[in-house]
Amino acid sequence: TARVRVIVTDENGELKAETAYYNGEGADTDAAAFVNLYTASATYGTGAELIVEKTLSGRALKAGEFTFKIEAADSDTVNAETADAKLSDSDREFTNTSGAADGVASRIFDKLSGVTFTQDDAGKTFSYVLSEAAGNLPGVTYSKDTYRFDITVVDNGDGTMHTETKVTMQGDGVTAEAHHDSSDGSRLHRSGSIVPQTTGWTRLERR
C-alpha cells in the first residue's frame, strides 16, 4: 500500500494543494509505486523422464557393473559451469542399479529429474553429455556412444514453463538426432530417430 499526504496551503487567499506519497520505506516521493513480482519455474523430471538402458550380450548383467556419467557442456547461451551447477551428484555419475539376463536391458530411471529452471533461464539452452565410463571387466567391450542433451527453457507467460530437448547421439561413425517437447506430450525414444547400440541406449519420454 502507498500512503498519500495532501498538503493544502493558503497563498494570499488562493488555496493550493500538494501531494506526497510514502511507499513504505525511504522518503516521500511524487508517485505511488506498486511493484509486482512474476515467477515461473519447472523441474525437468516433471515434464520428461530420462531413462538410461544398459544391455550386455553374451552373459547376464550384474548390478553396479557399468558406470555412466553426465557432464555439462557449453551451449550458445550457457557455459558448462553454469549448467553443471544444476546437476546433482547422482546425475554426474551413476551405475546400472539392477542386473538383467543375457541380452535384456537393465533400466536406470529418473536421470536429470531434479534439474530446476526458473524464469531467469527462459530462452537459454542447457547442455549435457551422457556417456559410459570405460572399465576393465574381462572380455567386455565398452560403449563409446555419447548422447548430448540440449535443453531449451521456455516460459509460457502464465507462471508455468516447459522444455524443448534435442538429443544427439554419436557412435560408430553414426550421428542421429531426436527431439522432445514437454508441453505437448511428444515422446522421444529409440524408434525412428536414435538407434541403440548393443551396449546401451538412452530414452526420454513424457511422464
Side-chain angles (χ1 to χ4, degrees), residues 76-125:
D76 291 339
T77 55
V78 177
N79 61 39
E81 183 179 2
T82 300
D84 179 75
K86 292 186 178 292
L87 290 177
S88 66
D89 288 340
S90 61
D91 282 335
R92 291 187 179 97
E93 185 171 293
F94 54 94
T95 63
N96 59 298
T97 53
S98 62
D102 181 0
V104 177
S106 170
R107 308 184 84 193
I108 308 162
F109 295 92
D110 296 335
K111 295 294 101 182
L112 299 180
S113 61
V115 174
T116 300
F117 303 105
T118 71
Q119 71 276 5
D120 294 334
D121 299 321
K124 299 177 182 178
T125 298

Side-chain angles (χ1 to χ4, degrees), residues 5-150:
R5 184 160 56 97
V6 180
I7 304 171
V8 180
T9 59
D10 184 346
E11 295 184 5
N12 299 320
E14 182 180 351
L15 296 179
K16 291 188 176 182
E18 294 181 353
T19 57
Y21 301 85
Y22 177 69
N23 293 298
E25 60 182 19
D28 288 350
T29 66
D30 59 359
F34 294 91
V35 179
N36 292 14
L37 178 64
Y38 173 82
T39 62
S41 64
T43 301
Y44 194 66
T46 300
E49 180 179 16
L50 173 60
I51 303 170
V52 179
E53 294 193 353
K54 179 63 185 179
T55 303
L56 180 62
S57 298
R59 69 163 173 82
L61 172 67
K62 299 177 183 177
E65 283 193 298
F66 291 88
T67 299
F68 306 88
K69 57 185 179 180
I70 296 177
E71 298 175 293
D74 291 334
S75 76
D76 291 339
T77 55
V78 177
N79 61 39
E81 183 179 2
T82 300
D84 179 75
K86 292 186 178 292
L87 290 177
S88 66
D89 288 340
S90 61
D91 282 335
R92 291 187 179 97
E93 185 171 293
F94 54 94
T95 63
N96 59 298
T97 53
S98 62
D102 181 0
V104 177
S106 170
R107 308 184 84 193
I108 308 162
F109 295 92
D110 296 335
K111 295 294 101 182
L112 299 180
S113 61
V115 174
T116 300
F117 303 105
T118 71
Q119 71 276 5
D120 294 334
D121 299 321
K124 299 177 182 178
T125 298
F126 293 78
S127 298
Y128 303 96
V129 177
L130 167 66
S131 62
E132 178 179 298
N136 54 8
L137 291 173
V140 173
T141 59
Y142 291 86
S143 174
K144 296 181 180 180
D145 296 350
T146 62
Y147 296 85
R148 180 182 173 108
F149 295 81
D150 293 307

